[in-house]
Amino acid sequence: MTNSKWKISFSELDSILKKLQVLLLDEISNNKKIIDELKTTYNIDFNDNLVQKITNIIKKTVEDIKKDLNFFYESDPAASSIEEIYWSYPGFFALLIYRISHELANQKIKIIPRYLSEYAHSKTGIDINPNAIIGCPCFIDHGTGIVIGETAILGNNVKIYQGVTLGAKSLSRGNLLKGVKRHPTIGNNVTIYANATILGGDTIIGDNSTIGANVFLTSSVSNNSLIVHNENNIDLTKK
Amino acid sequence: MTNSKWKISFSELDSILKKLQVLLLDEISNNKKIIDELKTTYNIDFNDNLVQKITNIIKKTVEDIKKDLNFFYESDPAASSIEEIYWSYPGFFALLIYRISHELANQKIKIIPRYLSEYAHSKTGIDINPNAIIGCPCFIDHGTGIVIGETAILGNNVKIYQGVTLGAKSLSRGNLLKGVKRHPTIGNNVTIYANATILGGDTIIGDNSTIGANVFLTSSVSNNSLIVHNENNIDLTKK
Amino acid sequence: MTNSKWKISFSELDSILKKLQVLLLDEISNNKKIIDELKTTYNIDFNDNLVQKITNIIKKTVEDIKKDLNFFYESDPAASSIEEIYWSYPGFFALLIYRISHELANQKIKIIPRYLSEYAHSKTGIDINPNAIIGCPCFIDHGTGIVIGETAILGNNVKIYQGVTLGAKSLSRGNLLKGVKRHPTIGNNVTIYANATILGGDTIIGDNSTIGANVFLTSSVSNNSLIVHNENNIDLTKK
């Protein structure tokens, strides 16, 4: 398959996603101890119910996934083809698993969404809670160390680089905070560069804003903001 | 198993830990090249001696592991049950492997503790040297990018988030520093937020202190300190 | 094998690298779906051509890999032996895979180099683009979260710690930037500590320089520079 062929038609994606589905199920099935546990605990007939559910969910998410793929290709000068993104980009893999696990979580399926997200986390270093809400398309580059918390909300066309945390401001009250919105809201067309940390359930990043690398932010910024690290806080000396 | 059942009794943990032991050994055994290497090099009869050793160590560490599990559940509002933590939290997995590999290291077993810790590192992005000393309970959330160096010492009830480094101040003298304390000491009830970097063998973080996200620290702080990043060092402009 | 034996003679490395080759091929072959895809798409007869190519490349890179191994041992006080580095250090594994995938990329082989680098990325959290140019020897410690971009150039004797990004200054123009040098140039004998971020294709770090932890840098510095984070930008209060 050439790149241009991929550009002309996305129709092969459906058959590839079917392969992914098989791959995903293989990956899960291989971990027989967990499957047995889930079967005993939840009476999930893994080979029927869940396969059907995942098939339906993949059908539901396929349009979003196609948009994500295109957005990755447009956003990354290092990508030589869409198939390279599909087969080798951890950010795309983590986002794909998120879109599936988010739908599973919406259907009130327990543990499996988190198991899938931690599977993706272990493969990619990208930790996206299935309950987070991520608009479409989204672009995640490199990705190692990214944390997107349970109650985070992201708009469309958001770009996120490695090491970014969208986290909670304080966890001092621990599990009393279950269900409370603790993670930030990110507008449309926002770019967040490497290792930026944005915390808090009331923190809102306005549309079209850019957050620079290593920035630490715990309060809201309006639309069209550019937040960059002041370079005055480093010392240069001779050895 | 319901969450409440887990709360009432921890007795199932022992059988689950036996399953973990099997899982661990399966994982190692599958890597036949390494096993053969270890057998030839160290005369370890993998199927007898080491199984027995690991069984004994798991028996020894099980009480600590139960306390860790409870501390995770209390500390994380996103955790819906203890079993979710057990099956899917990379921080818990890394800590579990640390507790086992630390005991193996204490028993002067070579390479295997580091092999186990790098196995956990590859699964979780959390790099805990088996010789580090970590009190109980401990809570590690998300965890990707955490580095806890060989001579670090941590008290009880410590909470650590993703990207935290407890490292050496300088490695300019390289392997002349073998055995020297090069990594910090962390007191009891300390919380260290995402991407904080704490360096140096003389650096002591006092009890009950909190280190904010992205803080870079190379000197000691007294008990009850709160160290937070000054937000003045970022520039906000309009695009 | 004792450590001293390894020190006296590196001759065993060749047989170990042959084992690595087998291991690598096993790892790739196991992923039959990808192999089938590659075979259909590129007419690569995986069991002949590629094996021969990888054998030749391993022969070509073996001297560099030996130098890297020695440099790791000299640089890390926590390493008890060269074999410990060989079997368990993710930084060494990522560098080894980089040296192989870089040669494959030089030979204009498509996708496989990136597949290998993302395989190493998923194992180690270290993301080195196969097209980056890395001198020899190089030392990568811990490594989780490291990103070395497509057009980065590194000199000899460079040491890099976890979370370091050698990245692009801006990706606003996306895939119009294909082929343009977007990532920094690092001189000889440079050390870059944890979580430092260095961006831009025109950014040159002079020989013998040291970049401190968490430093954010988007402009060049001359030879023998020491760049450290100013600790004045943190606030210390009592709780």
Side-chain angles (χ1 to χ4, degrees):
Chain A
M1 266 171 281
T2 65
N3 180 21
S4 59
K5 194 180 165 192
W6 277 72
K7 270 183 166 171
I8 290 163
S9 158
F10 269 103
S11 63
E12 291 94 341
L13 250 184
D14 289 292
S15 71
I16 290 170
L17 284 169
K18 264 180 209 148
K19 285 184 206 164
L20 174 83
Q21 174 193 355
V22 173
L23 187 72
L24 265 173
L25 292 177
D26 278 352
E27 286 286 351
I28 301 174
S29 306
N30 285 337
N31 202 331
K32 283 189 184 124
K33 284 172 199 71
I34 288 174
I35 294 310
D36 289 347
E37 194 78 21
L38 293 171
K39 205 178 272 183
T40 319
T41 311
Y42 296 104
N43 285 321
I44 288 173
D45 186 349
F46 189 76
N47 292 313
D48 292 344
N49 272 349
L50 192 64
V51 169
Q52 194 52 51
K53 269 184 200 295
I54 291 183
T55 305
N56 290 341
I57 280 164
I58 284 175
K59 280 182 189 160
K60 194 174 166 189
T61 56
V62 66
E63 289 307 317
D64 279 357
I65 289 165
K66 286 176 184 176
K67 285 180 201 157
D68 291 331
L69 259 182
N70 263 334
F71 194 50
F72 271 67
Y73 185 68
E74 283 166 20
S75 303
D76 184 9
S80 66
S81 68
I82 281 182
E83 59 198 311
E84 180 184 325
I85 292 165
Y86 190 87
W87 286 118
S88 72
Y89 273 48
F92 175 71
F93 182 76
L95 192 60
L96 177 61
I97 297 295
Y98 157 77
R99 298 226 180 271
I100 293 167
S101 61
H102 181 66
E103 287 301 321
L104 287 163
N106 278 349
Q107 296 185 25
K108 309 294 178 200
I109 293 173
K110 302 283 181 196
I111 288 196
I112 295 172
R114 281 285 288 153
Y115 177 71
L116 282 176
S117 73
E118 285 302 345
Y119 169 73
H121 187 187
S122 77
K123 285 268 183 195
T124 66
I126 300 166
D127 185 359
I128 308 177
N129 191 293
N131 293 303
I133 296 170
I134 299 182
C136 181
C138 178
F139 172 55
I140 296 172
D141 204 8
H142 309 295
T144 308
I146 285 174
V147 172
I148 300 179
E150 188 186 24
T151 63
I153 300 173
L154 285 72
N156 303 324
N157 300 303
V158 170
K159 299 181 187 185
I160 299 177
Y161 290 82
Q162 67 272 14
V164 164
T165 293
L166 306 179
K169 205 176 263 180
S170 162
L171 293 176
S172 55
R173 286 172 293 161
N175 60 7
L176 296 176
L177 291 171
K178 273 188 208 305
V180 176
K181 185 167 187 326
R182 309 177 306 279
H183 308 91
T185 299
I186 311 297
N188 298 307
N189 312 311
V190 169
T191 298
I192 307 173
Y193 283 108
N195 300 317
T197 305
I198 304 175
L199 306 182
D202 297 332
T203 303
I204 299 171
I205 307 301
D207 289 348
N208 314 312
S209 292
T210 298
I211 312 298
N214 292 36
V215 163
F216 174 58
L217 202 60
T218 60
S219 52
S220 296
V221 299
S222 57
N223 291 352
N224 306 305
S225 293
L226 174 66
I227 312 282
V228 292
H229 217 274
N230 187 330
E231 292 211 8
N232 293 338
N233 71 336
I234 59 172
D235 292 334
L236 167 60
T237 55
K238 283 286 166 192
K239 290 207 279 194
Chain B
M1 264 171 283
T2 65
N3 180 21
S4 59
K5 193 180 165 192
W6 276 72
K7 271 182 165 171
I8 289 164
S9 157
F10 269 103
S11 63
E12 291 96 338
L13 249 185
D14 288 292
S15 71
I16 289 169
L17 283 169
K18 262 180 210 147
K19 284 184 207 164
L20 173 83
Q21 174 193 353
V22 174
L23 187 71
L24 265 173
L25 292 177
D26 277 353
E27 285 286 352
I28 300 174
S29 305
N30 285 337
N31 201 332
K32 283 187 183 127
K33 284 170 200 74
I34 288 174
I35 294 310
D36 288 348
E37 194 79 20
L38 292 171
K39 204 179 271 182
T40 319
T41 312
Y42 295 105
N43 286 321
I44 287 172
D45 185 348
F46 189 76
N47 293 312
D48 292 344
N49 271 348
L50 191 63
V51 170
Q52 194 53 51
K53 268 185 201 295
I54 292 184
T55 306
N56 290 341
I57 280 163
I58 285 174
K59 279 181 189 160
K60 196 174 165 189
T61 56
V62 66
E63 289 306 318
D64 279 357
I65 288 165
K66 286 176 184 175
K67 285 180 199 157
D68 291 331
L69 259 182
N70 264 334
F71 194 50
F72 270 67
Y73 186 68
E74 283 167 21
S75 303
D76 184 10
S80 65
S81 67
I82 282 181
E83 59 198 311
E84 180 184 325
I85 292 166
Y86 191 86
W87 286 118
S88 72
Y89 272 49
F92 175 71
F93 182 76
L95 192 59
L96 177 62
I97 296 295
Y98 157 77
R99 299 227 180 270
I100 291 167
S101 61
H102 181 67
E103 287 300 322
L104 286 163
N106 278 349
Q107 296 186 25
K108 309 293 179 203
I109 294 173
K110 302 282 182 198
I111 289 195
I112 295 172
R114 281 285 288 153
Y115 178 71
L116 283 176
S117 73
E118 285 300 346
Y119 170 73
H121 187 188
S122 76
K123 285 269 183 194
T124 65
I126 300 166
D127 185 0
I128 308 177
N129 192 292
N131 294 303
I133 296 170
I134 300 181
C136 182
C138 178
F139 172 55
I140 295 172
D141 204 9
H142 309 295
T144 307
I146 286 173
V147 172
I148 301 178
E150 189 186 21
T151 63
I153 300 174
L154 285 71
N156 304 322
N157 300 303
V158 170
K159 299 182 187 184
I160 299 177
Y161 290 82
Q162 67 272 17
V164 165
T165 293
L166 306 180
K169 204 176 264 181
S170 162
L171 294 176
S172 56
R173 286 174 294 161
N175 61 7
L176 296 175
L177 291 170
K178 275 189 206 304
V180 176
K181 186 168 187 327
R182 308 177 307 280
H183 307 91
T185 298
I186 310 296
N188 299 306
N189 313 310
V190 169
T191 298
I192 308 173
Y193 283 108
N195 300 318
T197 305
I198 304 175
L199 305 182
D202 298 331
T203 303
I204 300 171
I205 307 300
D207 291 347
N208 314 312
S209 293
T210 299
I211 312 297
N214 292 34
V215 163
F216 174 59
L217 202 59
T218 60
S219 52
S220 296
V221 298
S222 57
N223 292 351
N224 307 305
S225 294
L226 174 67
I227 313 282
V228 291
H229 217 274
N230 186 330
E231 291 210 9
N232 292 338
N233 71 336
I234 58 172
D235 291 334
L236 168 59
T237 54
K238 281 288 167 193
K239 289 206 279 193
Chain C
M1 264 171 282
T2 66
N3 181 20
S4 60
K5 193 181 165 192
W6 276 71
K7 271 182 166 170
I8 290 163
S9 158
F10 269 103
S11 63
E12 291 95 340
L13 248 185
D14 289 293
S15 71
I16 289 170
L17 284 169
K18 263 181 209 147
K19 285 184 206 162
L20 174 83
Q21 175 192 356
V22 173
L23 187 71
L24 265 173
L25 292 178
D26 277 352
E27 286 285 352
I28 300 174
S29 306
N30 284 336
N31 201 333
K32 283 190 183 123
K33 284 171 201 72
I34 287 174
I35 294 311
D36 289 347
E37 194 79 20
L38 293 171
K39 204 178 273 181
T40 319
T41 311
Y42 296 105
N43 285 321
I44 289 172
D45 184 349
F46 189 75
N47 293 314
D48 292 343
N49 271 351
L50 191 64
V51 169
Q52 195 52 50
K53 268 185 201 295
I54 291 184
T55 305
N56 291 341
I57 280 164
I58 284 175
K59 279 181 189 161
K60 196 174 165 190
T61 56
V62 66
E63 289 307 317
D64 279 358
I65 288 165
K66 286 176 184 177
K67 286 179 200 157
D68 291 330
L69 260 181
N70 264 332
F71 194 50
F72 270 67
Y73 185 69
E74 284 166 21
S75 303
D76 184 9
S80 65
S81 68
I82 281 181
E83 59 198 311
E84 180 184 325
I85 292 165
Y86 190 86
W87 286 118
S88 72
Y89 273 48
F92 175 72
F93 182 76
L95 193 59
L96 177 61
I97 296 296
Y98 157 77
R99 299 224 180 272
I100 292 167
S101 60
H102 181 66
E103 287 300 323
L104 287 163
N106 279 348
Q107 297 185 24
K108 310 294 179 201
I109 294 174
K110 302 282 180 197
I111 289 197
I112 295 172
R114 281 285 288 152
Y115 177 71
L116 282 176
S117 73
E118 285 301 345
Y119 170 74
H121 187 188
S122 77
K123 285 268 184 195
T124 66
I126 299 166
D127 185 1
I128 308 177
N129 191 293
N131 294 303
I133 296 170
I134 300 181
C136 180
C138 178
F139 172 55
I140 296 172
D141 204 9
H142 308 295
T144 308
I146 285 174
V147 172
I148 300 179
E150 187 185 24
T151 63
I153 300 173
L154 285 71
N156 303 322
N157 300 302
V158 170
K159 300 181 187 184
I160 298 177
Y161 290 82
Q162 66 272 16
V164 164
T165 293
L166 306 179
K169 204 176 265 180
S170 163
L171 293 176
S172 55
R173 285 172 294 160
N175 60 8
L176 296 176
L177 291 170
K178 274 189 206 306
V180 175
K181 186 168 186 327
R182 310 177 305 278
H183 308 92
T185 298
I186 310 296
N188 299 305
N189 312 310
V190 168
T191 298
I192 308 173
Y193 284 108
N195 300 318
T197 305
I198 304 174
L199 305 183
D202 298 332
T203 303
I204 300 171
I205 307 300
D207 290 347
N208 313 311
S209 292
T210 299
I211 311 297
N214 293 35
V215 162
F216 174 58
L217 202 59
T218 59
S219 52
S220 296
V221 299
S222 56
N223 291 352
N224 306 304
S225 293
L226 174 65
I227 312 282
V228 291
H229 217 273
N230 187 330
E231 292 211 9
N232 292 339
N233 72 336
I234 58 172
D235 291 334
L236 167 59
T237 54
K238 282 288 168 193
K239 289 207 279 194

